[in-house]
C-alpha cells in the first residue's frame, strides 16, 4: 500500500482510507457481517485509515468498528473520528456542538465505544457558529497534550476558518468533499490548505455512488439519505448519469472501471490528498483499491476533463439548508 502524509506535521497513512458511515444505515440497510469482513479486508490490504463519526448510527458505527478491531494491534490502524453533529431520536440533525466541555464529553464516549485509549485524528464534523474555532482547537490541543488524541483535523470549513485554526495548533488534515463533480475546493480552500501544510482527506470521491458506474435509480432503499439530495433528484440524476456514461467510454478504453477512474483522478490531484472511500462490501473495496494501479497520463486527464468538466453536475451536493449552514460554502 502506498503511503501519503497528512499535513506537514501529520502522520503517514495509507493512500486510500476506508469511510465507514454507510455501514450504519445511512445509505439503507447494511449487513453487519459483511461490514466487518470489509474492514478486515481493508486492513489486510494495507488500508490503515478508518473514518467514522460518533453520530453515525448514534454510536452504532463506533461499536461496529470496535467489534471488527478486537484483537487487532492498536498500531495497525488509525482512527479518524468526527464529533459535534447533534441528532434527535428521529435521526434529524438538530445542530452542532463544539463547546470545550462538550467535545471532552464526546471524546470520553467515543473512547469507550471504540475500546481504545486514544484517537489518531479528532475533528469537529462542522463549524459550530456559536463557538470561536480558536476555543475548540485550544481545547483539542489540551487533549493532544494529555495523549487522548494524536492529531487535530477539521471538516467542511472554509479557508478563513482553516487559517484561524492553524494559528492555534497544527492541523493534520481537512476532511471535505472532493470529486470529479464536486470541485469547489480548488478555488480557495485547497490552495490555502497547501499554503498552511494541511492535508486533504477527500470524502464523496464517488459522489455517494453516483459516479461509481453502478448507481441505479430503481435500486435505492426507501431510507437511503442520498435520494433526498439534489444530485439524486428526478431530472438531475438522469443528467448526472449521462456524465457517468461519458466517463465509462474512457474507462472501457483503458480496461478499468468507472469507479477506478474517478478515484484515480482524485489521487492524481496531489500527494497531499487521501481519498476516503465508503465501501460497505468487499467487492466494492476491491474495486476501489484497483484505482491504485491506474496511472493517468496528461492525455487521460484531459479526456476526463472533457467528459466531466468542472461545474457539469446537475444539482448541489447537499440540500440548500445544509449548504447554507456549511462554513466551506461561504465566500
Amino acid at each position: 500500500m502506498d503511503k501519503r502524509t497528512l499535513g506537514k506535521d501529520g502522520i503517514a497513512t495509507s493512500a486510500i482510507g476506508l469511510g465507514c458511515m454507510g455501514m450504519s444505515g445511512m445509505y439503507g440497510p447494511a449487513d453487519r457481517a459483511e461490514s466487518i469482513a470489509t474492514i478486515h479486508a481493508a486492513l489486510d490490504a494495507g488500508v490503515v485509515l478508518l473514518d467514522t463519526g460518533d453520530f453515525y448510527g448514534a454510536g452504532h458505527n463506533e461499536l461496529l468498528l470496535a467489534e471488527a478491531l478486537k484483537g487487532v494491534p492498536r498500531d495497525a490502524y488509525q482512527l479518524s473520528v468526527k464529533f459535534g453533529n447533534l441528532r434527535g431520536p428521529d435521526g434529524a440533525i438538530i445542530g452542532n456542538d463544539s463547546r470545550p466541555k462538550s467535545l471532552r464529553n464526546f471524546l470520553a464516549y467515543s473512547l469507550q465505544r471504540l475500546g481504545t485509549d486514544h484517537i489518531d485524528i479528532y475533528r469537529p464534523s462542522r463549524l459550530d457558529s456559536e463557538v470561536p474555532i480558536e476555543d475548540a482547537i485550544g481545547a483539542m490541543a489540551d487533549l493532544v497534550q494529555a495523549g487522548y488524541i494524536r492529531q487535530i483535523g477539521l471538516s467542511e470549513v472554509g479557508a478563513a476558518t482553516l487559517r484561524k485554526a492553524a494559528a492555534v495548533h497544527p492541523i493534520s488534515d481537512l476532511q471535505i468533499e472532493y470529486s470529479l463533480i464536486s470541485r469547489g475546493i480548488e478555488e480557495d480552500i485547497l490552495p490555502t490548505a497547501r499554503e498552511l501544510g494541511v492535508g486533504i482527506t477527500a470524502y464523496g470521491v464517488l459522489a455517494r455512488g453516483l459516479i461509481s458506474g453502478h448507481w441505479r435509480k430503481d435500486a435505492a432503499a426507501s431510507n437511503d439519505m442520498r435520494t433526498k439530495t439534489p444530485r439524486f433528484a428526478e431530472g438531475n440524476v438522469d443528467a448526472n448519469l449521462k456524465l457517468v456514461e461519458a466517463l465509462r467510454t474512457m474507462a472501457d478504453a483503458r480496461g478499468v472501471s468507472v469507479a477506478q477512474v474517478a478515484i484515480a483522478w482524485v489521487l492524481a490531484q496531489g500527494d497531499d490528498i487521501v481519498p476516503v472511500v465508503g465501501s460497505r462490501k468487499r467487492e466494492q473495496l476491491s474495486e476501489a483499491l484497483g484505482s491504485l494501479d491506474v496511472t493517468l497520463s496528461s492525455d487521460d486527464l484531459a479526456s476526463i476533463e472533457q467528459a466531466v468538466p468542472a461545474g457539469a453536475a446537475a444539482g448541489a451536493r447537499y440540500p440548500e439548508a445544509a449548504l447554507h449552514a456549511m462554513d466551506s460554502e461561504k465566500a
Side-chain angles (χ1 to χ4, degrees), residues 10 22 66 117 140 143 148 151 178 184 231 258 299 319:
D117 63 356
M140 295 172 72
L143 294 170
Y148 292 115
Q151 301 286 335
Y178 187 41
R231 286 183 179 166
V258 174
D299 288 342

Side-chain angles (χ1 to χ4, degrees), residues 1 3 7 42 70 85 111 161 198 249-250 270 314:
M1 172 63 66
K3 297 289 185 181
K70 189 174 183 179
N85 187 290
L111 292 172
T161 299
V198 175
T249 300
M250 184 266 182

Side-chain angles (χ1 to χ4, degrees), residues 126-161:
R126 296 290 186 269
L127 180 68
D128 182 344
S129 61
E130 298 181 2
V131 177
I133 190 63
E134 294 89 344
D135 291 356
I137 298 299
M140 295 172 72
D142 291 340
L143 294 170
V144 171
Q145 188 67 29
Y148 292 115
I149 61 179
R150 297 290 188 259
Q151 301 286 335
I152 297 174
L154 289 168
S155 177
E156 287 288 355
V157 300
T161 299

Side-chain angles (χ1 to χ4, degrees), residues 21 43 73 79 85 93 106 131 153 159-160 166 169 182 186-187 193 231 234-235 248 263 273 275 279 296 302 305 318:
M21 181 184 76
L43 294 172
L79 294 169
N85 187 290
I93 298 173
F106 293 141
V131 177
H169 188 277
S182 294
E186 293 176 345
E187 182 175 349
R231 286 183 179 166
E234 193 66 34
R248 195 187 303 277
I263 298 169
I273 299 174
S279 301
L296 299 175
E305 183 74 26
Y318 281 102

Side-chain angles (χ1 to χ4, degrees), residues 298-309:
S298 57
D299 288 342
D300 290 331
L301 292 170
S303 296
I304 293 170
E305 183 74 26
Q306 184 176 9
V308 187

